[in-house]
Amino acid sequence: MSARTDVWQAKFERLRSNKLFELLVISVILISALVIGVKTYPLPPLANQAIVIMDWAITLFFAVEIVVRFLGESDRRQFFRSGWNVFDTLIVAVSLIPIEDSELALIGRLVRIFRVLRMVSIIPELRTLLNSLLKALPQLGYVMLMMFIIFYIYAALGSTFFAAINPELWGDISISMLTLFRIMTFEDWTDVMYETMAIYPLSWSFYLSFIFLSAFAFLNMIIGIVVNVLEEEHQAQAREEALAAGEPTLSELRDEIQGLRRLLESRQS
């Protein structure tokens, strides 16, 4: 009985690792995204019925795919220790509940929208990117806090000096912060600057200093942090793949080189 189970487990493992099967899953996810987009348009009743049938077929395919991945796991207790496996299973399980004509129909539609996120769990590169963003959040939090402080200071200055010029842009500190966000994204910021320069000729220094701090300094810091964490994630993934393949890691090679160097030095001495 155990040997037969191992045989089936090996077959399911080969199936889930098959590139054609992965491409099929990605294709169905893309079709699911297109179905969600099509539902936003007014359609004739026949087309709506076809969309509903297609949606249920996609849901059943995802259920079969989850079962294949579960049965192909060598240690099935490890399957639900992965957050992505839990996420995929919950999305598919909720999608199988017939709640289209109930008060929970909105939740059902939202769950089907989030099925597009299954693309992240299927493609390893997307998982690496998302994991890097999550790991970078603690460092990004301090940068965002500093950006908020700069925004708050400049918004207070803008409300103090420019509220009388244009209350719609500088009437209070919250509106001023929205105006500063517009300036940071370079959305017609020169029109805002020239309007205040008509009263305060040196107000250009206010805008240029803010753009230098926000758009140049802090945004580049955010990009640098994300790129650094992404590089570390790629290195960690390469080390895991090397260990899985039985290849020596960089630290092991360094230790071997140092050992050979000590051996040569001892022989020379």
Side-chain angles (χ1 to χ4, degrees), residues 139-157:
Q139 300 178 54
L140 292 177
Y142 293 107
V143 178
M144 299 301 292
L145 178 60
M146 192 63 198
M147 283 188 67
F148 175 78
I149 293 173
I150 297 299
F151 262 78
Y152 195 86
I153 292 173
Y154 273 83
L157 291 173

Side-chain angles (χ1 to χ4, degrees), residues 8 22 30 40-41 48 52 59 61 69 111 119 126 128 134 173 191 210 215 219 246 248 251 253:
W8 280 104
E22 292 180 359
L30 293 176
T40 62
Y41 293 93
N48 278 325
V52 170
T59 302
F61 175 84
R69 285 167 52 190
V111 169
M119 189 77 73
L126 294 180
T128 302
L134 293 176
I173 197 165
D191 296 340
F210 175 76
L219 287 184
S251 60
L253 290 174

Side-chain angles (χ1 to χ4, degrees), residues 4-41:
R4 184 179 297 179
T5 303
D6 292 339
V7 170
W8 280 104
Q9 185 272 326
K11 289 182 179 180
F12 283 120
E13 186 175 6
R14 285 196 301 270
L15 177 60
R16 73 173 190 175
S17 302
N18 190 288
K19 293 297 181 182
L20 292 177
F21 183 73
E22 292 180 359
L23 289 175
L24 178 61
V25 173
I26 293 173
S27 301
V28 174
I29 293 174
L30 293 176
I31 294 173
S32 174
L34 292 176
V35 169
I36 293 170
V38 169
K39 284 183 177 180
T40 62
Y41 293 93

Side-chain angles (χ1 to χ4, degrees), residues 84-223:
W84 288 113
N85 291 337
V86 174
F87 172 78
D88 293 344
T89 305
L90 286 176
I91 291 294
V92 173
V94 176
S95 299
L96 289 171
I97 301 174
I99 55 177
E100 289 293 336
D101 298 327
S102 64
E103 297 179 354
L104 299 176
L106 179 60
I107 297 177
R109 297 190 191 101
L110 291 176
V111 169
R112 282 167 170 77
I113 292 172
F114 282 108
R115 284 194 310 202
V116 182
L117 279 176
R118 296 202 60 233
M119 189 77 73
V120 180
S121 64
I122 297 298
I123 302 178
E125 288 77 9
L126 294 180
R127 289 202 304 268
T128 302
L129 180 59
L130 186 58
N131 289 334
S132 301
L133 290 174
L134 293 176
K135 290 183 178 179
L137 284 179
Q139 300 178 54
L140 292 177
Y142 293 107
V143 178
M144 299 301 292
L145 178 60
M146 192 63 198
M147 283 188 67
F148 175 78
I149 293 173
I150 297 299
F151 262 78
Y152 195 86
I153 292 173
Y154 273 83
L157 291 173
S159 296
T160 302
F161 290 100
F162 307 144
I165 299 174
N166 191 337
E168 294 182 358
L169 296 179
W170 305 101
D172 54 53
I173 197 165
S174 59
I175 296 177
S176 298
M177 293 181 76
L178 289 175
T179 303
L180 289 173
F181 185 81
R182 167 184 172 182
I183 294 169
M184 184 186 71
T185 56
F186 303 108
E187 177 64 29
D188 293 334
W189 71 277
T190 53
D191 296 340
V192 181
M193 180 181 68
Y194 291 141
E195 185 181 39
T196 58
M197 283 180 64
I199 307 299
Y200 300 103
L202 295 178
S203 62
W204 58 268
S205 60
F206 171 87
Y207 299 96
L208 293 185
S209 61
F210 175 76
I211 289 174
F212 176 81
L213 289 173
S214 60
F216 297 151
F218 288 114
L219 287 184
N220 283 326
M221 288 174 64
I222 291 174
I223 294 172

